[in-house]
Amino acid sequence: MTTDHLTHNGPKRHMRHAASKVPEVTVYFWIIKVLTTGMGETASDFLAHWLGPIPAVGLGGIALVAALAVQFTARRYVAWIYWTAIVMVSVFGTMAADVLHVGLGVPYTISTPLFMAALAAVFALWYRSERTLSIHSVHTRRRENFYWAAVLATFALGTAAGDLTATIGLGYLGSAIVYAAAIAVPAVAHRRGSLNAVTAFWSAYVITRPLGASIADWMAVSHSRGGLNLGLGPVTLSWTVAILGFVGYLAASRKDVQNTPMP
């Protein structure tokens, strides 16, 4: 699934814009995406235990708003700005799903389809307004609003879905295996020509959330819960270091900077 496919999946009239606000889709994109999902999962749980649920949600919300404000202010894609915003979406998206379940008692069997409907609504409004869901058409403020609304919905949906499968008998490791297999489906379907690039991209994007979160939870939770018992803090720290390493490399190499389409 290449950047060119994602870029040219919409009408040509959408190509006359300034520099893109999103990265080029490379293998580094998917690696960092999975890392941010896992780090967001354990960081959210760590902060909730350390600060308490209400202060943690408040702090997460403030940090998310600040990160998105910087992202929206930037005139083009900047690796550390973009991925900081993604990390904060991951943390707050986890908190949003957990608040529904833990705080309000909404079961995952209800919150999962609820977030799925929310994501579908965002996509419907986005397509109705812009006639494309390609992430490489994100050159205007309105499209950027739709993009980040979709990203936030995918993280909340992925969190709820991952927790749902983990609590119905699969466990964290079993869930990770299931989602690892599931993420190959849109990739194979796109390669065989039976799924267009944009649909394949967003399908894989949603699945990366429960995949990364399930792996991170499996590493962090106790042996009695089927995990490696490494702890929330150490797993959060190690995944954060990995994210910083990859983002630092991309910032220096600029391998994920999209070539701006010409008018």
Side-chain angles (χ1 to χ4, degrees):
M1 194 189 311
T2 66
T3 293
D4 287 340
H5 285 137
L6 291 168
T7 302
H8 291 88
N9 220 30
K12 290 183 179 179
R13 63 185 176 88
H14 290 306
M15 302 296 288
R16 295 190 181 94
H17 298 291
S20 176
K21 297 292 293 291
V22 298
E24 186 170 345
V25 180
T26 66
V27 65
Y28 300 106
F29 176 92
W30 294 111
I31 291 173
I32 300 174
K33 176 61 170 62
V34 171
L35 288 172
T36 60
T37 64
M39 180 270 186
E41 175 76 13
T42 55
S44 174
D45 292 342
F46 178 78
L47 290 172
H49 283 90
W50 184 41
L51 300 175
I54 295 178
V57 170
L59 181 62
I62 293 172
L64 173 61
V65 170
L68 287 178
V70 176
Q71 167 65 23
F72 275 89
T73 301
R75 299 184 63 181
R76 64 182 64 238
Y77 167 71
V78 179
W80 73 268
I81 294 177
Y82 174 86
W83 287 110
T84 297
I86 289 292
V87 165
M88 294 318 307
V89 169
S90 178
V91 173
F92 190 77
T94 301
M95 291 176 175
D98 288 344
V99 164
L100 277 181
H101 180 70
V102 179
L104 301 179
V106 178
Y108 293 125
T109 52
I110 294 179
S111 61
T112 299
L114 178 65
F115 286 127
M116 189 178 298
L119 178 59
V122 171
F123 281 148
L125 291 172
W126 185 356
Y127 189 80
R128 181 178 180 181
S129 172
E130 305 299 318
R131 309 308 297 174
T132 178
L133 299 179
S134 170
I135 68 165
H136 291 291
S137 67
V138 182
H139 304 276
T140 67
R141 178 56 57 87
R142 183 165 61 183
R143 291 182 181 184
E144 194 171 12
N145 286 331
F146 281 125
Y147 173 77
W148 286 102
V151 168
L152 183 57
T154 64
F155 274 88
L157 169 59
T159 298
D163 288 338
L164 173 63
T165 56
T167 55
I168 61 174
L170 288 178
Y172 294 114
L173 180 58
S175 295
I177 294 172
V178 167
Y179 290 118
I183 202 170
V185 174
V188 172
H190 172 63
R191 184 176 292 274
R192 291 182 175 179
S194 57
L195 191 64
N196 69 67
V198 172
T199 303
F201 171 83
W202 282 112
S203 298
Y205 196 93
V206 170
I207 298 171
T208 57
R209 173 58 185 175
L211 172 61
S214 296
I215 295 172
D217 276 335
W218 171 64
M219 294 175 65
V221 301
S222 64
H223 295 306
S224 62
R225 298 174 62 190
L228 298 181
N229 197 33
L230 299 180
L232 294 171
V235 172
T236 300
L237 179 59
S238 61
W239 285 50
T240 300
V241 170
I243 292 169
L244 290 173
F246 279 107
V247 172
Y249 170 73
L250 291 178
S253 67
R254 297 177 60 84
K255 288 183 177 292
D256 63 338
V257 175
Q258 179 192 343
N259 293 324
T260 304
M262 299 300 293

